[in-house]
Structures are given as structure tokens and as C-alpha cells.
């Protein structure tokens, strides 16, 4: 177990041009629900049994009220950059006009970060779809992709000059598969066809927003953030299951974006499951991107099913995080190298990587040594991938602070900073101190 985060002296990550940051998402930290429109997560939180601890995002980390303190905290960590997301229902009214108060919040926040020389990596969509759009079909409605284009237009007009890097979507896999196919995330729909259709419309939205970003912010880099859980066969006989799962969960998104096509698995799906794809859609989706953000937490093993499909298989006797996810740092190296071999990649950022641990606050301190070890091993896994030729230019720890962990509510803590939800006190964990120490010695 590593008790500090260290890199070899010749590590590419220590070069001045490599970007280190921390990341958050709007719904998970902001609170101030009364100052914005409802989103699909507000509604989902009201469903009995949807959230593990029956909580919601009404207050969360109270970031809208405490943003100045939080900016100081980010600056204190010695990071180069902060990755955040804009809340669509906070900045835009139902009639398409700007919510002045909501937009002013982001102007102040981004301006304060700029004043401290902290680069801003802004995600346009981190899952908080306005509820009025869901009432009209949400991501199953093709029109939502065009509404997203309008939203991108509004944000770039007001905030474009303050942003260093734009990502269109965060993890469209989660929005589509978890939200519309298996229903464990908002809006809670369970339908394979819905999952495939939502995925297509999300990618269409990405392509349309990329066009807006190129037009309105031609000198600002723009891309997308995708999550990957590399797939491994449980036994030698399960290779087909791992391959199918990889196409369905991982390659579905990156292949469409970089090559304008879905994996061959699409042809094998039943006709009633296939998404409706209109002529010209794949060309819109395949906009040139300046970067791909990679979110990595763990790998997943798969086994064949009797009907020739795949299902997850869990390993016993492996180290896991508080989410039950295997700690497997070399999976990050293997993922990055495989993507590098498979595609003509733009530059890459590790936009999320981190671990939920069962943190305890004792005498005002959180000694999260397992998380320190996680960061040490995964940062070195990034170094290994760079040595093998992958162009990785930044790393963002997930997350800056403990927050609303979606269907798990406040039961799971991913933060470098501990949040006491009763007092809203922010307490730097040992991992935050170690991360800061690494960054300060560059």
C-alpha cells in the first residue's frame, strides 16, 4: 500500500505542459434548486427506492452559495485546471431565453478561476436534462438534440471567452444505458430500444454542439468525455462475451465519433431494438474533435449467456473500492494502449479517475490511505501508457469533493475533500494533501 503519490523523475506527467486538475459536476455539488428549473434527477430522486438513502440534490455541497470558498480550496491544491459542468436548467429558461441569475453565477465562477490562473474545462452536459424536455420524450425525442444545440449556442455566447476547453457530453453511455436501457439512473426507463435510441440522439447532440463550438469559439479546444470499463473474459471460453460487451458499452461511442459508424454488433441486433438513424446523422456525429476525455475506474469481467449474449461476472478475492469495483490500475494502461492501436486518436485527457472509499472523520482528519494508493498506482499507469506512445496531456482527479453520488445518494464518497453535510465544512483528506504535494514538487 503506497502512502504517498510519487512519479519517476523522468515521468512525462511532471513536464510543465501536462495538465493536472480536479473535477466536479453541477447537479452533484451545486444545490440551490430553487434558483433553476427542475431536471430529470430532481424527478428521479422523488421516485420511491430510486436513491439508496432517499436523498436529493436540493442542497448537495451548497456550492452555489459557497463557490468563493471552493475556488480558494481549488487554488490551494496547486492544480492547473478545474473541470466543471454547466447546469442546463440553471442557465436557460423553458422559452429558450437566458436565466440571468444562473448565467451570472458561472460568469463569476469562471472569472475567479481565470484570475487565479486556473484553466477551466467545461462540460456542457453532465446528465441534468431539463425536466420539461423529458416530458416531451427526453433523449428518445430527436428534437432534444437540436434543443441541446440551442443550449450550446447560449452558453458559448455568454461564457465562451472564459473557457479554456469545452466538452459536449459527459459519459453518454451512462445517460443512455443507465438512464434509458436499465433504468437505474434518471429518467429510469427500462427498454433496450430506448437505450440504443437515446445513445444515438446523444451522439447527434454532440455533433450538433461541436458545430456550434467551432463557429462561436474557433480558438477553444472542443471534444467529448467518454467512460470506459475495459472488458475481460471470465474464462478462455468467454472471449466472445467480452468482445460483444466491449462493442456494446465502449466502442459504440468512440467509433461513432471518430469513424462515423457503429460497431458491427449493430447489424446483429433485432430490428425492433435498432435505433432509427436518419441519412446524414453519422456525418454530423463524426465532427473532428480536439480531444477525447477518458473516464476510467475499473475493468469488468464477462461471461457468455445461453442465448449468445453477455453478462457481467464478479471476481472474488480482489481488492475493491467502496463501490465494489475492482482496483485494477493496469486496466487503465491496457485500455489506453488498445484505443491507441485501434483508432487514429486526437490527444487524450484522463478526465475522471478516482475511488470511493469508506472514509471516516477522526479528530478532524481523514486518513484515506487506500485512496492515496489508488492515485499513486493509476497515475503511474498513465505514465506507462504514455511510454507506449499514447498522447495523454492531462489528468483530472474525481472528485474535488464528496458529493451526491447519483443513485447512491450521499452514501459513497469519492472526494479528495471530505464534506460534512450537516455543517458544510470542507476538510482536506490525506489524498488531497498528497495530491497537492505531488503537484507542488513539479
Amino acid at each position: 500500500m503506497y502512502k504517498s503519490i510519487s512519479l519517476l523523475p523522468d515521468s512525462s506527467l511532471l513536464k510543465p505542459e501536462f495538465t493536472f486538475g480536479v473535477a466536479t459536476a453541477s447537479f452533484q455539488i451545486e444545490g440551490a434548486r430553487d434558483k433553476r428549473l427542475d431536471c430529470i434527477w430532481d424527478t428521479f430522486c422523488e421516485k420511491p427506492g430510486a436513491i439508496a438513502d432517499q436523498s436529493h440534490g436540493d442542497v448537495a455541497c451548497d456550492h452555489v452559495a459557497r463557490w468563493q470558498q471552493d475556488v480558494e480550496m481549488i487554488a490551494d491544491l496547486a492544480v492547473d485546471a478545474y473541470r466543471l459542468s454547466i447546469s442546463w436548467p440553471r442557465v436557460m429558461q423553458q422559452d429558450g431565453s437566458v436565466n440571468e441569475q444562473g448565467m451570472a453565477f458561472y460568469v463569476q465562477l469562471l472569472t475567479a478561476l481565470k484570475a487565479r490562473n486556473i484553466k477551466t474545462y467545461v462540460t456542457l452536459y453532465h446528465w441534468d436534462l431539463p425536466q420539461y424536455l423529458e416530458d416531451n420524450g427526453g433523449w428518445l425525442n430527436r428534437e432534444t438534440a437540436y434543443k441541446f444545440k440551442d443550449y450550446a449556442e447560449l452558453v458559448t455566447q455568454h461564457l465562451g471567452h472564459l473557457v479554456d476547453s469545452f466538452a459536449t457530453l459527459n459519459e453518454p453511455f451512462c445517460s443512455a444505458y443507465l438512464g434509458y436501457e436499465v433504468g437505474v439512473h434518471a429518467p429510469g426507463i427500462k427498454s433496450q430500444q430506448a437505450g440504443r435510441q437515446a445513445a444515438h440522439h446523444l451522439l447527434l447532440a454532440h455533433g450538433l454542439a461541436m458545430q456550434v463550438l467551432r463557429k462561436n469559439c474557433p480558438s477553444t479546444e472542443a471534444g467529448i468525455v467518454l467512460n470506459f470499463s475495459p472488458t475481460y473474459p471470465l474464462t478462455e471460453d468467454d472471449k466472445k462475451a467480452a468482445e460483444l460487451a466491449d462493442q456494446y458499452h465502449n466502442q459504440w461511442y468512440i467509433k461513432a465519433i471518430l469513424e462515423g459508424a457503429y460497431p458491427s454488433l449493430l447489424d446483429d441486433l433485432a430490428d425492433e431494438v435498432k435505433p432509427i438513424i436518419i441519412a446524414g446523422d453519422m456525418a454530423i456525429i463524426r465532427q473532428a474533435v480536439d480531444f477525447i476525455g477518458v473516464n476510467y475506474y475499473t475493468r469488468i469481467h464477462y461471461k457468455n449467456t445461453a442465448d449468445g449474449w453477455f453478462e457481467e461476472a464478479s471476481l472474488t478475492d480482489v481488492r475493491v473500492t467502496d463501490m465494489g469495483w475492482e482496483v485494477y490500475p493496469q486496466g487503465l494502461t491496457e485500455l489506453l494502449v488498445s484505443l491507441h492501436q485501434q483508432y487514429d486518436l486526437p490527444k487524450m485527457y484522463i478526465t475522471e479517475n478516482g475511488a470511493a472509499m469508506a472514509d471516516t472523520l477522526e479528530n478532524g482528519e481523514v486518513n484515506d490511505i487506500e485512496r492515496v494508493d489508488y492515485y499513486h498506482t493509476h497515475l503511474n499507469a498513465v505514465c506507462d501508457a504514455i511510454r507506449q506512445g499514447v498522447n495523454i496531456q492531462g489528468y483530472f482527479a474525481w472528485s474535488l469533493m464528496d458529493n451526491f453520488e447519483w443513485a447512491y445518494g450521499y452514501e459513497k464518497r469519492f472526494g479528495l475533500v471530505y464534506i460534512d453535510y450537516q455543517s458544510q465544512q470542507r476538510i482536506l483528506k490525506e489524498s488531497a494533501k498528497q495530491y497537492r504535494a505531488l503537484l507542488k514538487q513539479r
Side-chain angles (χ1 to χ4, degrees), residues 383-404:
C383 293
D384 288 347
I386 293 172
R387 275 190 213 104
Q388 293 179 59
V390 191
N391 178 14
I392 303 156
Q393 299 201 0
Y395 177 95
F396 293 79
W398 184 270
S399 72
L400 169 64
M401 52 183 146
D402 297 334
N403 55 42
F404 178 81

Side-chain angles (χ1 to χ4, degrees), residues 3 37 49 66 73 108 110 117 157 160 173 220 232 273 282 292 294 296 321 339 343 362 365 395 411 417 427 437:
K3 296 204 167 112
L37 300 180
R66 298 167 192 267
M73 186 169 73
Q108 287 181 305
L110 293 166
N117 212 20
Q157 283 168 8
F173 159 84
T220 307
Y232 292 75
V273 167
M282 299 315 289
I292 298 270
V294 171
Y296 172 86
T321 66
L339 292 173
Y343 297 103
E362 289 174 13
E365 295 192 342
Y395 177 95
E411 289 182 353
V417 176
I427 299 154

Side-chain angles (χ1 to χ4, degrees), residues 352-426:
E352 286 180 28
N353 180 230
M357 297 295 178
D359 297 321
T360 51
L361 180 64
E362 289 174 13
N363 303 322
E365 295 192 342
V366 180
N367 191 25
D368 58 336
I369 213 69
E370 287 193 18
R371 187 178 286 106
V372 172
D373 178 86
Y374 186 98
Y375 279 118
H376 171 89
T377 53
H378 285 76
L379 281 164
N380 279 283
V382 175
C383 293
D384 288 347
I386 293 172
R387 275 190 213 104
Q388 293 179 59
V390 191
N391 178 14
I392 303 156
Q393 299 201 0
Y395 177 95
F396 293 79
W398 184 270
S399 72
L400 169 64
M401 52 183 146
D402 297 334
N403 55 42
F404 178 81
E405 190 43 50
W406 307 112
Y408 292 94
Y410 298 98
E411 289 182 353
K412 304 297 181 190
R413 294 180 177 269
F414 273 91
L416 289 165
V417 176
Y418 185 91
I419 302 290
D420 178 330
Y421 293 109
Q422 296 316 115
S423 67
Q424 287 294 343
Q425 191 184 357
R426 278 88 164 117

